[in-house]
Amino acid sequence: MVRKKDYFKLGLYIVLGTGMLLAIVIILGAGRYFQTAYPLETYFDESVNGLSVGSPVKLRGVQVGRVAEINFVTNIYDLPHTHEARYVYVRCEINPELFEEMTEKEFNAHIERETKRGMRIRATSLGLTGQLFLNTTYEDPKNNPPLPIQWTPTYAYVPSVPSTLSRIEEAFTTISRTVSGLKQEDIESIIKDVKSIVGTLDDFMKAEGGKEAGTRILGILRSTESILARSDKLLGDPAAESIIPNTASILKNVDRITEESADDIIQTAAEAREAVASFKLATQNLSKTLADPRMGEAMDNIAPTLDNISQASADLAAAVGKVHTLVNRLNGVVASQETNISSILEDTREIMLNVKELTDEAKRYPSGILFGTPPSKPHPENN
């Protein structure tokens, strides 16, 4: 028989156990509300089926946060009915402890820099379960531009890229559209052409010409193999390792010289253009001159003039010959009278010296030249 005290104890145990269970659930669940997290948002232009609140956000396989909210962009921002209104809004909470305890301002600046470098978010499947998580990757920014948006994001913004499944579906859709665009007659015509080409190749290879072509192709392949072997041997030479650095250095020097001489090259090109223009103008003027009827008359008068010039040249040559003969004769006379000429020159030199002495004497004692001997020198010591 159960006593009343046993009922009281049983009820007390149930109440205490339920209270402890609720306390544990509240403590574990509410701990997230007291944890600091940096918000981050992104947008998807595709289905996010399988993504839910609480799904992990990973960076290269490391969980850095969780999905906090999934909604439509039109419920977050006031937008007109445009294509952007169909985007799916996803807000994430990032654990700051994994980012060296950055402040929220520093975190936002870091996300902006990394976004320019190619940081993107892709919805990735966990496996066969169909659950999705957000995987942060780095893609080529040129090939993966951000989605066009007409608003300013409230939090740090990382653009998204289509998921792998979405890309596969798009590829299959493109192939399906291409195949469906082909008509039955086109397919039969293509198959017929392919069979015709294969048959022609088969007949050609069985003929003598085909056998000869096959032999030549084999010879070309052997030559190619030999060339590749030689190239591999040359590239394996240690001396070949310095070719690329030396070539790079030469190209760098050429580039530097080209940059330093850019002004001179431009000026030379301009002068060359001016010279070509002047040459072209001179050619045009020459063409006009030659086309002038008076030029023909001048050419007819040139022939007698050239004859006169030829005759004058002959007369000039004869005169030069006579002058040459006269010079030779003068040389002979000078050679025969060399002694007399030397004596005359010596006498002339003495006469000039005497004249110079007489001139100096006349400058010192002019009266002595006219009246006789010069006056005696004064002797100051006798006074």
Side-chain angles (χ1 to χ4, degrees):
M1 182 176 179
V2 180
R3 293 175 297 180
K4 291 182 179 181
K5 292 183 180 181
D6 295 334
Y7 285 117
F8 176 76
K9 292 180 181 180
L10 180 61
L12 182 61
Y13 289 149
I14 293 174
V15 170
L16 291 177
T18 304
M20 293 177 62
L21 180 61
L22 291 175
I24 293 173
V25 171
I26 291 173
I27 291 172
L28 294 178
R32 187 171 64 249
Y33 296 102
F34 298 100
Q35 183 180 5
T36 303
Y38 294 155
L40 181 147
E41 64 182 80
T42 186
Y43 320 111
F44 291 93
D45 191 15
E46 60 177 329
S47 174
V48 291
N49 185 28
L51 187 69
S52 59
V53 175
S55 296
V57 178
K58 296 184 178 182
L59 174 61
R60 295 183 175 179
V62 179
Q63 183 170 347
V64 295
R66 55 182 290 276
V67 175
E69 181 182 1
I70 301 176
N71 209 330
F72 289 104
V73 171
T74 52
N75 297 332
I76 306 298
Y77 299 102
D78 186 13
L79 300 174
H81 294 286
T82 59
H83 177 74
E84 290 82 355
R86 297 182 298 178
Y87 294 166
V88 177
Y89 172 87
V90 177
R91 180 173 60 84
C92 308
E93 292 180 350
I94 306 301
N95 184 7
E97 295 179 358
L98 300 175
F99 293 91
E100 300 179 355
E101 297 183 356
M102 293 182 181
T103 62
E104 187 171 358
K105 185 177 181 180
E106 293 174 347
F107 174 77
N108 294 337
H110 175 73
I111 292 297
E112 184 177 358
R113 289 194 302 269
E114 294 301 311
T115 299
K116 293 180 180 179
R117 292 178 54 192
M119 177 185 281
R120 298 292 184 268
I121 290 181
R122 174 183 286 116
T124 307
S125 176
L126 284 172
L128 299 178
T129 59
Q131 296 294 320
L132 298 179
F133 71 94
L134 297 184
N135 187 24
T136 306
T137 61
Y138 284 85
E139 306 289 343
D140 187 2
K142 295 181 180 179
N143 297 330
N144 299 274
L147 292 174
I149 59 177
Q150 300 179 0
W151 62 91
T152 302
T154 305
Y155 306 112
Y157 167 57
V158 178
S160 66
V161 290
S163 62
T164 304
L165 182 60
S166 177
R167 292 184 176 183
I168 294 174
E169 290 178 354
E170 184 178 357
F172 274 109
T173 302
T174 303
I175 295 172
S176 177
R177 290 176 180 175
T178 303
V179 173
S180 62
L182 295 175
K183 298 180 180 179
Q184 184 69 25
E185 295 82 1
D186 296 335
I187 296 175
E188 292 178 356
S189 176
I190 292 172
I191 294 174
K192 185 177 180 181
D193 293 339
V194 171
K195 288 182 178 179
S196 176
I197 293 171
V198 172
T200 303
L201 291 175
D202 184 59
D203 295 338
F204 175 74
M205 294 303 296
K206 289 180 180 179
E208 293 295 332
K211 294 179 181 179
E212 184 178 356
T215 304
R216 291 183 179 180
I217 291 173
L218 290 176
I220 292 171
L221 292 176
R222 292 192 185 96
S223 300
T224 304
E225 183 180 3
S226 176
I227 292 171
L228 292 176
R230 293 179 181 177
S231 301
D232 184 53
K233 184 177 180 181
L234 290 174
L235 293 176
D237 191 350
E241 296 179 357
S242 61
I243 293 177
I244 295 177
N246 292 337
T247 304
S249 177
I250 293 171
L251 291 177
K252 184 177 180 180
N253 293 332
V254 171
D255 187 28
R256 179 178 56 80
I257 294 171
T258 303
E259 290 180 356
E260 294 176 355
S261 305
D263 296 336
D264 296 335
I265 293 172
I266 294 173
Q267 184 178 359
T268 303
E271 293 176 354
R273 283 198 299 268
E274 293 178 358
V276 170
S278 300
F279 180 75
K280 184 177 180 182
L281 181 60
T283 304
Q284 292 175 354
N285 294 332
L286 180 61
S287 300
K288 292 179 181 179
T289 303
L290 294 176
D292 193 346
R294 292 177 296 179
M295 191 63 184
E297 298 177 359
M299 294 299 293
D300 294 336
N301 296 327
I302 284 176
T305 304
L306 293 177
D307 293 337
N308 295 331
I309 293 173
S310 178
Q311 184 64 34
S313 300
D315 296 340
L316 180 61
V320 170
K322 292 179 180 180
V323 171
H324 184 67
T325 302
L326 178 60
V327 170
N328 289 334
R329 289 180 181 179
L330 289 174
N331 287 333
V333 172
V334 170
S336 62
Q337 300 295 328
E338 183 176 1
T339 304
N340 296 329
I341 292 171
S342 298
S343 178
I344 292 169
L345 291 175
E346 183 65 25
D347 294 340
T348 303
R349 187 177 66 80
E350 291 180 359
I351 291 170
M352 294 301 295
L353 289 174
N354 293 330
V355 171
K356 183 176 183 301
E357 291 178 358
L358 181 61
T359 304
D360 293 338
E361 188 71 20
K363 288 180 180 180
R364 289 195 300 270
Y365 308 108
S367 60
I369 298 298
L370 298 176
F371 302 106
T373 60
S376 61
K377 296 181 180 181
H379 300 280
E381 63 275 7
N382 295 330
N383 293 332

